[in-house]
Amino acid sequence: MTPLQKKGGFTLIEILLALLVITIGVVAITGVLGSSLDATAKTHSDLDAVCFADLVLNYCQAADFDAIPTSGSLSLPDHEQSDVSLSLGAVAQFPGRLPRSTITFGGQAQEYTVTYRLDIVADGNVKAVTLQVWPGFSANGTSRTFYTELYNWDRL
């Protein structure tokens, strides 16, 4: 072989630069993956809160005005038509299941737990329903607040 002939191949510097570019790409993808997982967890928490609020507030809207108590507890059917009792005026927990028609994992309905405070205040022919919901087992952090008013149309 003569000194003027070059062998084909990559130099050590070229290989190191290629590895550097690949490493930067992998680190960037890992960072995006972490924030994506955080967003997914927050979305599940929001879904739990909204699903519970839907259960409670839709029942209050559909029930007879006089059947909605302002103290004690509120008894209503859950998504699987089992009767549940919700405390009024105190922070409590509700273990529930998403309805079968929603997204399931592994063929099973997803279970969730929310912490809530349900207040119902009567003022004549109007009942104000305020529902605060925290995802999970504690009332720490920011709650989601839901509000509706119930009217006694028979007496208005």
Side-chain angles (χ1 to χ4, degrees), residues 66-93:
D66 295 326
I68 304 296
T70 56
S71 63
S73 65
L74 174 67
S75 181
L76 64 138
D78 68 2
H79 292 295
E80 296 192 351
Q81 302 305 312
S82 301
D83 283 341
V84 296
S85 181
L86 302 177
S87 301
L88 294 176
V91 174
Q93 291 179 349

mmCIF file of all heavy atoms in Angstrom, residues 66-93:
data_model
loop_
_atom_site.group_PDB
_atom_site.id
_atom_site.type_symbol
_atom_site.label_atom_id
_atom_site.label_comp_id
_atom_site.label_asym_id
_atom_site.label_seq_id
_atom_site.Cartn_x
_atom_site.Cartn_y
_atom_site.Cartn_z
ATOM 1 N N ASP A 66 -87.402 18.929 47.223
ATOM 2 C CA ASP A 66 -87.548 18.632 48.654
ATOM 3 C C ASP A 66 -86.723 17.419 49.090
ATOM 4 O O ASP A 66 -86.509 17.216 50.283
ATOM 5 C CB ASP A 66 -89.018 18.417 48.998
ATOM 6 C CG ASP A 66 -89.835 19.690 48.797
ATOM 7 O OD1 ASP A 66 -89.278 20.788 49.038
ATOM 8 O OD2 ASP A 66 -91.006 19.595 48.375
ATOM 9 N N ALA A 67 -86.269 16.595 48.141
ATOM 10 C CA ALA A 67 -85.478 15.402 48.482
ATOM 11 C C ALA A 67 -83.998 15.721 48.695
ATOM 12 O O ALA A 67 -83.243 14.863 49.138
ATOM 13 C CB ALA A 67 -85.626 14.354 47.385
ATOM 14 N N ILE A 68 -83.585 16.941 48.398
ATOM 15 C CA ILE A 68 -82.174 17.327 48.566
ATOM 16 C C ILE A 68 -82.007 17.943 49.951
ATOM 17 O O ILE A 68 -82.516 19.030 50.209
ATOM 18 C CB ILE A 68 -81.740 18.330 47.474
ATOM 19 C CG1 ILE A 68 -81.990 17.767 46.078
ATOM 20 C CG2 ILE A 68 -80.287 18.732 47.659
ATOM 21 C CD1 ILE A 68 -81.177 16.548 45.750
ATOM 22 N N PRO A 69 -81.304 17.260 50.860
ATOM 23 C CA PRO A 69 -81.138 17.786 52.227
ATOM 24 C C PRO A 69 -80.093 18.901 52.286
ATOM 25 O O PRO A 69 -79.253 19.024 51.405
ATOM 26 C CB PRO A 69 -80.667 16.560 53.010
ATOM 27 C CG PRO A 69 -79.907 15.760 51.996
ATOM 28 C CD PRO A 69 -80.630 15.976 50.689
ATOM 29 N N THR A 70 -80.170 19.700 53.331
ATOM 30 C CA THR A 70 -79.164 20.754 53.541
ATOM 31 C C THR A 70 -78.222 20.412 54.690
ATOM 32 O O THR A 70 -77.292 21.166 54.959
ATOM 33 C CB THR A 70 -79.851 22.103 53.817
ATOM 34 O OG1 THR A 70 -80.725 21.955 54.932
ATOM 35 C CG2 THR A 70 -80.632 22.563 52.596
ATOM 36 N N SER A 71 -78.451 19.294 55.365
ATOM 37 C CA SER A 71 -77.545 18.835 56.431
ATOM 38 C C SER A 71 -77.615 17.320 56.496
ATOM 39 O O SER A 71 -78.510 16.706 55.930
ATOM 40 C CB SER A 71 -77.933 19.458 57.783
ATOM 41 O OG SER A 71 -79.221 19.024 58.153
ATOM 42 N N GLY A 72 -76.650 16.746 57.182
ATOM 43 C CA GLY A 72 -76.611 15.292 57.312
ATOM 44 C C GLY A 72 -75.866 14.655 56.162
ATOM 45 O O GLY A 72 -74.661 14.843 56.017
ATOM 46 N N SER A 73 -76.599 13.914 55.333
ATOM 47 C CA SER A 73 -75.961 13.255 54.191
ATOM 48 C C SER A 73 -76.922 13.203 53.009
ATOM 49 O O SER A 73 -78.134 13.290 53.164
ATOM 50 C CB SER A 73 -75.500 11.844 54.565
ATOM 51 O OG SER A 73 -76.624 11.039 54.870
ATOM 52 N N LEU A 74 -76.342 13.070 51.840
ATOM 53 C CA LEU A 74 -77.087 12.969 50.593
ATOM 54 C C LEU A 74 -76.907 11.558 50.069
ATOM 55 O O LEU A 74 -75.789 11.099 49.872
ATOM 56 C CB LEU A 74 -76.549 13.986 49.574
ATOM 57 C CG LEU A 74 -77.123 13.937 48.164
ATOM 58 C CD1 LEU A 74 -78.595 14.334 48.181
ATOM 59 C CD2 LEU A 74 -76.341 14.854 47.238
ATOM 60 N N SER A 75 -78.016 10.859 49.861
ATOM 61 C CA SER A 75 -77.963 9.496 49.349
ATOM 62 C C SER A 75 -78.314 9.511 47.872
ATOM 63 O O SER A 75 -79.328 10.082 47.474
ATOM 64 C CB SER A 75 -78.948 8.612 50.118
ATOM 65 O OG SER A 75 -78.883 7.294 49.629
ATOM 66 N N LEU A 76 -77.456 8.913 47.050
ATOM 67 C CA LEU A 76 -77.683 8.903 45.613
ATOM 68 C C LEU A 76 -77.095 7.648 44.999
ATOM 69 O O LEU A 76 -76.221 7.018 45.584
ATOM 70 C CB LEU A 76 -77.052 10.142 44.958
ATOM 71 C CG LEU A 76 -75.532 10.263 45.037
ATOM 72 C CD1 LEU A 76 -75.006 10.741 43.707
ATOM 73 C CD2 LEU A 76 -75.158 11.239 46.108
ATOM 74 N N PRO A 77 -77.571 7.267 43.797
ATOM 75 C CA PRO A 77 -76.978 6.103 43.130
ATOM 76 C C PRO A 77 -75.683 6.499 42.429
ATOM 77 O O PRO A 77 -75.587 7.580 41.867
ATOM 78 C CB PRO A 77 -78.051 5.697 42.117
ATOM 79 C CG PRO A 77 -78.818 6.948 41.849
ATOM 80 C CD PRO A 77 -78.746 7.775 43.108
ATOM 81 N N ASP A 78 -74.687 5.600 42.483
ATOM 82 C CA ASP A 78 -73.436 5.879 41.774
ATOM 83 C C ASP A 78 -73.559 5.401 40.323
ATOM 84 O O ASP A 78 -74.645 5.047 39.871
ATOM 85 C CB ASP A 78 -72.231 5.263 42.490
ATOM 86 C CG ASP A 78 -72.222 3.749 42.461
ATOM 87 O OD1 ASP A 78 -73.125 3.143 41.846
ATOM 88 O OD2 ASP A 78 -71.306 3.159 43.061
ATOM 89 N N HIS A 79 -72.451 5.380 39.601
ATOM 90 C CA HIS A 79 -72.476 5.014 38.186
ATOM 91 C C HIS A 79 -72.898 3.566 37.957
ATOM 92 O O HIS A 79 -73.300 3.215 36.865
ATOM 93 C CB HIS A 79 -71.108 5.252 37.548
ATOM 94 C CG HIS A 79 -70.747 6.690 37.441
ATOM 95 N ND1 HIS A 79 -71.434 7.568 36.645
ATOM 96 C CD2 HIS A 79 -69.782 7.425 38.046
ATOM 97 C CE1 HIS A 79 -70.917 8.773 36.742
ATOM 98 N NE2 HIS A 79 -69.899 8.714 37.584
ATOM 99 N N GLU A 80 -72.783 2.738 38.978
ATOM 100 C CA GLU A 80 -73.180 1.339 38.844
ATOM 101 C C GLU A 80 -74.499 1.065 39.548
ATOM 102 O O GLU A 80 -74.823 -0.064 39.862
ATOM 103 C CB GLU A 80 -72.066 0.442 39.357
ATOM 104 C CG GLU A 80 -70.808 0.593 38.515
ATOM 105 C CD GLU A 80 -69.785 -0.470 38.793
ATOM 106 O OE1 GLU A 80 -69.948 -1.245 39.756
ATOM 107 O OE2 GLU A 80 -68.821 -0.536 38.027
ATOM 108 N N GLN A 81 -75.242 2.132 39.833
ATOM 109 C CA GLN A 81 -76.569 2.070 40.440
ATOM 110 C C GLN A 81 -76.572 1.494 41.860
ATOM 111 O O GLN A 81 -77.571 0.975 42.313
ATOM 112 C CB GLN A 81 -77.542 1.274 39.549
ATOM 113 C CG GLN A 81 -77.692 1.849 38.157
ATOM 114 C CD GLN A 81 -78.093 3.318 38.160
ATOM 115 O OE1 GLN A 81 -79.006 3.706 38.855
ATOM 116 N NE2 GLN A 81 -77.383 4.132 37.396
ATOM 117 N N SER A 82 -75.455 1.590 42.564
ATOM 118 C CA SER A 82 -75.399 1.250 43.983
ATOM 119 C C SER A 82 -75.625 2.530 44.764
ATOM 120 O O SER A 82 -75.158 3.594 44.374
ATOM 121 C CB SER A 82 -74.035 0.671 44.354
ATOM 122 O OG SER A 82 -73.774 -0.479 43.599
ATOM 123 N N ASP A 83 -76.361 2.436 45.877
ATOM 124 C CA ASP A 83 -76.603 3.632 46.685
ATOM 125 C C ASP A 83 -75.353 3.994 47.475
ATOM 126 O O ASP A 83 -74.719 3.132 48.086
ATOM 127 C CB ASP A 83 -77.768 3.408 47.651
ATOM 128 C CG ASP A 83 -79.110 3.484 46.947
ATOM 129 O OD1 ASP A 83 -79.157 4.053 45.844
ATOM 130 O OD2 ASP A 83 -80.097 2.970 47.501
ATOM 131 N N VAL A 84 -75.008 5.268 47.441
ATOM 132 C CA VAL A 84 -73.894 5.792 48.227
ATOM 133 C C VAL A 84 -74.400 6.974 49.029
ATOM 134 O O VAL A 84 -75.358 7.642 48.658
ATOM 135 C CB VAL A 84 -72.697 6.222 47.342
ATOM 136 C CG1 VAL A 84 -72.107 5.029 46.619
ATOM 137 C CG2 VAL A 84 -73.086 7.293 46.359
ATOM 138 N N SER A 85 -73.746 7.208 50.142
ATOM 139 C CA SER A 85 -74.122 8.310 51.015
ATOM 140 C C SER A 85 -72.963 9.295 51.084
ATOM 141 O O SER A 85 -71.837 8.902 51.376
ATOM 142 C CB SER A 85 -74.452 7.765 52.410
ATOM 143 O OG SER A 85 -74.832 8.804 53.261
ATOM 144 N N LEU A 86 -73.242 10.562 50.792
ATOM 145 C CA LEU A 86 -72.223 11.606 50.822
ATOM 146 C C LEU A 86 -72.474 12.531 52.000
ATOM 147 O O LEU A 86 -73.602 12.997 52.191
ATOM 148 C CB LEU A 86 -72.242 12.407 49.520
ATOM 149 C CG LEU A 86 -72.036 11.635 48.224
ATOM 150 C CD1 LEU A 86 -72.144 12.564 47.033
ATOM 151 C CD2 LEU A 86 -70.700 10.921 48.226
ATOM 152 N N SER A 87 -71.430 12.795 52.766
ATOM 153 C CA SER A 87 -71.543 13.702 53.911
ATOM 154 C C SER A 87 -71.704 15.129 53.432
ATOM 155 O O SER A 87 -71.079 15.537 52.458
ATOM 156 C CB SER A 87 -70.297 13.607 54.791
ATOM 157 O OG SER A 87 -70.135 12.299 55.258
ATOM 158 N N LEU A 88 -72.521 15.897 54.141
ATOM 159 C CA LEU A 88 -72.700 17.309 53.822
ATOM 160 C C LEU A 88 -71.957 18.153 54.849
ATOM 161 O O LEU A 88 -72.005 17.872 56.049
ATOM 162 C CB LEU A 88 -74.184 17.691 53.832
ATOM 163 C CG LEU A 88 -75.044 17.042 52.758
ATOM 164 C CD1 LEU A 88 -76.505 17.431 52.944
ATOM 165 C CD2 LEU A 88 -74.580 17.449 51.386
ATOM 166 N N GLY A 89 -71.271 19.181 54.389
ATOM 167 C CA GLY A 89 -70.621 20.138 55.271
ATOM 168 C C GLY A 89 -69.336 19.677 55.914
ATOM 169 O O GLY A 89 -68.837 20.325 56.823
ATOM 170 N N ALA A 90 -68.757 18.567 55.465
ATOM 171 C CA ALA A 90 -67.497 18.072 56.034
ATOM 172 C C ALA A 90 -66.631 17.517 54.914
ATOM 173 O O ALA A 90 -67.131 17.097 53.874
ATOM 174 C CB ALA A 90 -67.767 16.984 57.064
ATOM 175 N N VAL A 91 -65.336 17.506 55.140
ATOM 176 C CA VAL A 91 -64.416 16.919 54.167
ATOM 177 C C VAL A 91 -64.477 15.403 54.331
ATOM 178 O O VAL A 91 -64.365 14.881 55.435
ATOM 179 C CB VAL A 91 -62.979 17.441 54.385
ATOM 180 C CG1 VAL A 91 -62.005 16.730 53.468
ATOM 181 C CG2 VAL A 91 -62.926 18.944 54.152
ATOM 182 N N ALA A 92 -64.702 14.702 53.231
ATOM 183 C CA ALA A 92 -64.816 13.244 53.265
ATOM 184 C C ALA A 92 -64.202 12.671 51.990
ATOM 185 O O ALA A 92 -63.831 13.416 51.079
ATOM 186 C CB ALA A 92 -66.285 12.835 53.372
ATOM 187 N N GLN A 93 -64.102 11.350 51.948
ATOM 188 C CA GLN A 93 -63.536 10.678 50.776
ATOM 189 C C GLN A 93 -64.602 9.842 50.095
ATOM 190 O O GLN A 93 -65.511 9.322 50.733
ATOM 191 C CB GLN A 93 -62.369 9.784 51.177
ATOM 192 C CG GLN A 93 -61.177 10.557 51.638
ATOM 193 C CD GLN A 93 -60.031 9.655 52.068
ATOM 194 O OE1 GLN A 93 -60.211 8.463 52.212
ATOM 195 N NE2 GLN A 93 -58.873 10.229 52.261
#
